[in-house]
């Protein structure tokens, strides 16, 4: 039954390589490859984990065309690398020289292992759309119609037309208990709440992708209701969240509420079944600055669509400027949920996204404002970018988001001091090089080179590392960066210590039980497709029983209760949207959308 339904899912989203004859149970668990497919032009690596007790000194492998039995490639390896986390002995097989599209079988002699391998011109076509379409499935305050959502159609949940001002958010014009409307937006993750901080990096990452390759996204169709309204689908989807974000700004003072949330996480039910009271909670400096960055970038991204969206771009810029002023007057409004619950009722116990260090938010916000307006008043904050060390971005560290935007807008560099742009480049390349150097030898990927890579949401670490690599590639055209980015995508699609392709609905062994309320409560076995799950996390904070191992790179379990490694989240999908689509858009010979 399970296999049968999985088969249906795969057919519905029609990936380039469909393996009717293979199911997760029939595969050799010891071979780890990108299960979605290798682009013709890319490096092609498979990892073989030697079985315990395997004593031969040689591993011999073949890539075979199943119909003709022709051998396309033969490889022999006499060495292995020990995975420092699991102790596994990993053998690297590199069949990059195969440059013929097709569906092949990888056979490893003596160990009786076979695995399907797909090489295609454009293997990520469906994936690139599905990871973006995932945001449509996260829409709050919307019914998802069968025409667009297929078997995952559902009723509208959380209209959010009457949301209460939590006592922590009370102000003279909006005393506690005031009701406001704050509809729309995307659910954050497996829960049904909406958080500005996390929306911030998510929107920033998605708009970065759009700004990097606008022409590519202008024609990318993801089958959503707004398609054909003169606005690209990607931007239509972004508008769903952008308009919600605008409602999170207090019109009387420009400050931005930290989140819109029920008091507690609700149960595993469909959106329409949750009728808990929802609040907007405390205005925070972090949320306000992230809002500034998003609105300032949106002002320029949506500018070319002023005819379809009259006034929107200007409203975004105005909102950004007002929020910036609020932040200047409230630089220390830290969101600390514990203190908040000490002082106010009801207690709020949903996601905190608390961040005490805001130098990065200041830099990012100022950078987006400066790029859009070129007003000198923002420059001192922009120049602080190089005072701090850039790192792989995450929701609590957005410094490098400022780097990305300045790297993209090099036409503005003449207006910046040379010394600053020099440092910007060299510090950024230093980050990229340190990632290249940290490489995780057992799997020949950047991801996992440091144990610290395996945190809550580690899969997004892999995707964000890849974004850094792609900007480094664009700066230098050094192919090592490109290959590292593609390698981290291989990691996410199966070349990893768990053997899972971490995107729902894709690959042969793929999560079936993500911590995602709609996927769990809809009565459909197949999870909603296109979601990146959190990934290995030895913290195992969910205490879900059955983790196979606490080893950093393999501490993953495909269970609904495992929210510390198997949840989905908008800020984790965003860098995957970036990675898959940019790899596609900039691939040699890419033509078709
Ligand atoms: O930064 C430290 C790192 O230095 C240290 O080595 C590591 C060791 O475990 O911990 C790191 O901090 C972790 C942090 O995530 C890293 O981003 C914390 O332990 C960990 O508790 C924290 O988890 C956050 C989690 O909420 C719990 O608060 C995740 O980042 C965050 O993505 C997640 O977000 C939740 C929302 O609250 C609610 N909605 C779902 C969403 C996704 O799970
Ligand atoms: O479903 C919640 C998920 O979105 C969060 O990331 C996670 C950590 O904050 O919490 C989940 O909710 C659980 C709660 O923390 C503890 N009781 C069980 C809840 C769901 O199973």
């Amino acid at each position: 039954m399970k296999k049968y339904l999985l088969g249906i899912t795969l057919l519905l989203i029609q990936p380039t390589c469909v393996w009717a004859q293979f199911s997760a149970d029939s595969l050799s668990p010891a071979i780890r490859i990108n299960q979605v497919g290798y682009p013709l032009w890319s490096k092609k690596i498979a990892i073989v984990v030697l079985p315990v007790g395997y004593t031969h000194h040689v591993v011999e492998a073949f890539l075979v065309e199943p119909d003709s039995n022709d051998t396309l490639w033969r490889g022999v390896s006499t060495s292995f690398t020990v995975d420092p986390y699991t102790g596994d002995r990993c053998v690297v097989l590199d069949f990059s020289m195969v440059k013929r599209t097709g569906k092949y079988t990888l056979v490893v002699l003596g160990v009786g292992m076979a695995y399907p391998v797909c090489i295609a011109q454009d293997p990520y076509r469906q994936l690139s759309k599905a990871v973006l379409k995932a945001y449509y499935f996260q829409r709050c305050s919307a019914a998802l119609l069968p025409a667009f959502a297929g078997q995952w159609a559902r009723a509208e949940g959380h209209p959010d037309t009457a949301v209460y001002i939590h006592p922590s958010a009370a102000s003279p014009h909006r005393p506690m208990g005031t009701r406001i409307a704050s509809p729309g937006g995307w659910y954050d993750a497996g829960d049904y709440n909406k958080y500005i901080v996390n929306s911030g990096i998510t929107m920033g990452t998605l708009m970065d992708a759009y700004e990097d390759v606008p022409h590519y996204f202008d024609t990318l169709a993801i089958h959503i209701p707004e398609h054909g309204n003169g606005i690209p689908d990607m931007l239509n989807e972004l508008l769903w969240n952008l308009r919600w974000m605008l409602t999170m700004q207090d019109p009387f003072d420009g400050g931005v509420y930290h989140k819109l949330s029920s008091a507690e996480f609700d149960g595993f039910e469909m959106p329409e079944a949750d009728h808990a009271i929802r609040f907007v909670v405390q205005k925070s400096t972090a949320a306000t600055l992230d809002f500034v960055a998003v609105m300032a970038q949106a002002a320029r991204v949506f500018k070319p669509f002023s005819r379809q969206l009259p006034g929107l771009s200007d409203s975004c810029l105005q909102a950004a400027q007002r929020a910036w002023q609020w932040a200047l007057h409230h630089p220390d409004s830290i969101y600390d949920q514990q203190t908040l619950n000490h002082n106010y009722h009801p207690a709020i116990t949903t996601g905190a996204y608390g961040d005490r260090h805001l130098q990065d938010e200041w830099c990012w916000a100022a950078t987006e404002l400066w790029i859009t307006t070129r007003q000198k008043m923002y420059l001192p904050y922009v120049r602080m970018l190089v005072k701090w060390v850039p790192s792989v971005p995450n929701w609590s560290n957005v410094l490098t988001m400022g780097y990305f935007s300045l790297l993209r807008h090099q036409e503005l560099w003449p207006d910046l001091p040379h010394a600053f742009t020099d440092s910007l480049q060299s510090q950024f390349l230093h980050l990229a090089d340190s990632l290249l150097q940290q490489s995780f030898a057992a799997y020949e990927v950047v991801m996992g080179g440091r144990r610290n890579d395996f945190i809550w949401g580690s899969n997004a670490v892999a995707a964000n590392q890849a974004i850094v690599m792609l900007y480094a590639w664009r700066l230098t055209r050094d192919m090592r960066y490109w290959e590292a980015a593609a390698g981290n995508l291989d990691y996410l699609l199966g070349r990893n210590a768990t053997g899972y392709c971490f995107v729902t609905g894709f690959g042969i062994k793929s999560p079936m039980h993500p911590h995602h309320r709609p996927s769990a409560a809809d009565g459909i076995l197949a999870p909603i497709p296109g979601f990146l799950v959190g990934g290995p996390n030895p913290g195992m904070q969910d205490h879900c029983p059955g983790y196979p191992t606490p080893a950093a790179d393999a501490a993953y379990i495909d269970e609904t209760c495992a929210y510390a490694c198997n949840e989905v989240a908008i800020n984790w999908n965003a860098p995957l949207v970036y990675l898959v689509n940019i790899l596609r858009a900039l691939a040699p010979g890419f033509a078709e959308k």
Side-chain angles (χ1 to χ4, degrees):
M1 183 66 171
K2 185 170 167 177
K3 274 184 218 167
Y4 172 68
L5 280 167
L6 185 64
I8 288 182
T9 321
L10 292 173
L11 271 175
L12 264 179
I13 46 181
Q14 297 175 330
T16 312
C17 288
V18 180
W19 303 102
Q21 71 275 41
F22 288 102
S23 74
D25 303 339
S26 69
L27 290 176
S28 165
I31 296 184
R32 313 285 162 76
I33 64 158
N34 170 337
Q35 296 169 25
V36 173
Y38 289 91
L40 192 55
W41 37 265
S42 78
K43 232 177 146 172
K44 304 169 192 79
I45 286 177
I47 304 296
V48 179
V49 176
L50 295 179
V52 176
Y54 184 88
T55 50
H56 302 281
H57 294 293
V58 180
V59 167
E60 189 175 4
F62 297 88
L63 197 66
V64 181
E65 192 154 46
D67 296 338
S68 62
N69 248 340
D70 284 353
T71 297
L72 281 99
W73 169 87
R74 170 181 174 267
V76 175
S77 175
T78 53
S79 62
F80 59 79
T81 306
V82 176
D83 172 340
Y85 312 113
T86 60
D88 287 342
R89 295 174 300 162
C90 297
V91 175
V92 176
L93 301 175
D94 186 338
F95 49 96
S96 304
M97 46 84 68
V98 178
K99 294 206 169 64
R100 198 159 103 203
T101 60
K103 294 183 193 177
Y104 309 113
T105 308
L106 181 66
V107 181
V108 182
L109 277 195
V111 243
M113 298 187 280
Y115 212 99
V117 172
C118 167
I119 300 176
Q121 184 73 42
D122 185 18
Y124 302 144
R125 186 165 186 268
Q126 275 76 25
L127 181 68
S128 65
K129 295 173 181 228
V131 292
L132 185 55
K133 178 78 177 264
Y135 291 88
Y136 167 74
F137 286 112
Q138 287 296 89
R139 286 188 187 186
C140 179
S141 324
L144 306 188
L145 305 175
F148 305 103
Q151 62 179 325
W152 297 282
R154 60 164 171 80
E156 175 185 343
H158 308 93
D160 285 344
T161 43
V163 172
Y164 290 86
I165 301 280
H166 187 261
S168 62
S171 57
H173 286 98
R174 287 181 160 185
M176 88 181 219
T178 307
R179 291 196 314 187
I180 64 164
S182 189
W186 300 313
Y187 295 128
D188 182 57
D191 61 330
Y192 290 140
N193 304 299
K194 304 187 283 197
Y195 309 82
I196 287 290
V197 165
N198 208 39
S199 263
I201 184 164
T202 303
M203 295 289 285
T205 305
L206 294 173
M207 286 192 286
D208 283 356
Y210 182 81
E211 276 201 294
D212 278 342
V213 289
H215 299 306
Y216 165 87
F217 281 110
D218 283 347
T219 56
L220 190 83
I222 56 167
H223 200 51
I224 54 174
E226 297 80 3
H227 180 77
N229 65 355
I231 301 166
D233 283 3
M234 160 78 130
L235 296 189
N236 275 316
E237 197 47 59
L238 288 176
L239 275 173
W240 192 265
N241 204 55
L242 188 78
R243 288 196 164 117
W244 164 67
M245 289 184 81
L246 283 167
T247 70
M248 289 291 279
Q249 182 173 42
D250 181 344
F252 298 102
D253 65 9
V256 179
Y257 303 109
H258 193 74
K259 61 175 170 178
L260 189 162
S261 167
S262 48
E264 302 167 3
F265 286 117
D266 60 303
F268 265 62
E269 56 200 1
M270 291 302 282
E272 68 272 22
D274 176 21
H275 300 293
I277 295 176
R278 286 155 73 92
F279 301 92
V280 289
V281 186
Q282 192 198 314
K283 288 169 206 157
S284 76
T285 315
T288 302
L289 289 171
D290 287 338
F291 174 99
V292 169
V294 168
M295 291 304 156
Q297 187 171 12
R300 48 177 204 271
V301 165
F302 286 93
K303 186 99 188 156
F305 300 92
S306 297
R307 192 175 52 78
Q308 295 87 339
L309 300 163
L312 180 80
S313 167
D314 291 345
S315 303
C316 289
L317 183 55
Q318 241 173 46
Q321 287 165 328
R322 288 202 71 208
W324 175 260
Q325 288 304 322
W326 185 91
L328 286 177
H329 290 105
H330 304 83
D332 302 318
S333 185
I334 296 299
Y335 188 79
D336 176 344
Q337 201 153 270
Q338 231 181 328
T339 310
L340 182 136
N341 287 337
H342 193 74
N343 296 331
Y344 303 102
H345 293 281
I348 304 287
T349 55
T350 53
Y353 290 115
D355 184 1
R356 316 199 139 265
H357 306 285
L358 305 186
Q359 59 272 34
D360 50 310
E361 280 80 7
W362 283 105
C363 292
W364 181 35
T367 303
E368 299 301 346
L369 270 172
W370 180 76
I371 293 172
T372 301
T373 66
R374 313 279 293 285
Q375 285 173 8
K376 288 202 166 55
M377 61 193 265
Y378 302 119
L379 273 179
Y381 297 88
V382 176
R383 290 174 64 175
M384 297 282 274
L385 272 175
V386 297
K387 196 177 158 209
W388 315 109
V389 180
S391 56
V392 176
N394 62 56
W395 63 261
S396 69
N397 192 340
V398 290
L399 187 84
T400 309
M401 300 297 287
Y403 276 69
F404 292 159
S405 282
L406 278 182
L407 291 173
R408 180 178 330 110
H409 287 285
Q410 291 192 25
E411 76 282 0
L412 304 180
W413 285 17
D415 292 352
L416 294 164
H418 267 313
F420 170 77
T421 51
D422 283 355
S423 304
L424 193 83
Q425 276 190 88
S426 66
Q427 291 191 188
F428 185 77
L429 289 177
H430 183 77
L431 166 64
D433 289 339
S434 69
L435 287 172
L436 272 190
Q437 275 155 22
Q438 75 161 33
S439 201
F440 181 13
Y443 286 84
E444 270 209 27
V445 284
V446 164
M447 175 59 190
R450 283 177 228 171
R451 193 182 186 281
N452 248 357
D453 288 348
F454 297 105
I455 54 169
W456 191 314
S458 65
N459 281 341
V461 174
N464 278 307
Q465 287 175 338
I467 298 183
V468 172
M469 290 296 133
L470 286 174
Y471 278 101
W473 173 76
R474 292 177 111 183
L475 262 181
T476 62
R477 300 286 147 167
D478 180 338
M479 282 307 287
R480 287 175 314 151
Y481 298 125
W482 177 283
E483 282 167 4
N488 269 16
L489 182 56
D490 289 348
Y491 169 92
L492 292 173
L493 302 180
R495 197 170 104 210
N496 60 59
T498 71
Y500 273 91
C501 168
F502 287 122
V503 184
T504 57
F506 284 82
I508 298 156
K509 185 179 177 188
S510 154
M512 290 297 288
H513 311 287
H515 185 91
H516 184 222
R517 282 164 173 75
S519 289
D522 61 6
I524 297 164
L525 197 68
I528 301 176
F531 285 93
L532 180 66
V533 296
N537 170 17
M540 302 181 287
Q541 292 92 331
D542 47 58
H543 304 294
C544 183
Y547 272 86
T549 166
D553 60 342
Y556 170 77
I557 183 170
D558 179 22
E559 290 291 347
T560 307
C561 58
Y563 54 75
C565 71
N566 207 28
E567 191 166 355
V568 308
I570 55 173
N571 64 315
W572 302 339
N573 251 62
L576 183 60
V577 169
Y578 186 100
L579 173 57
V580 178
N581 284 285
I582 298 288
L583 282 182
R584 254 194 109 204
L586 302 182
F590 179 81
E592 171 267 355
K593 303 291 175 272

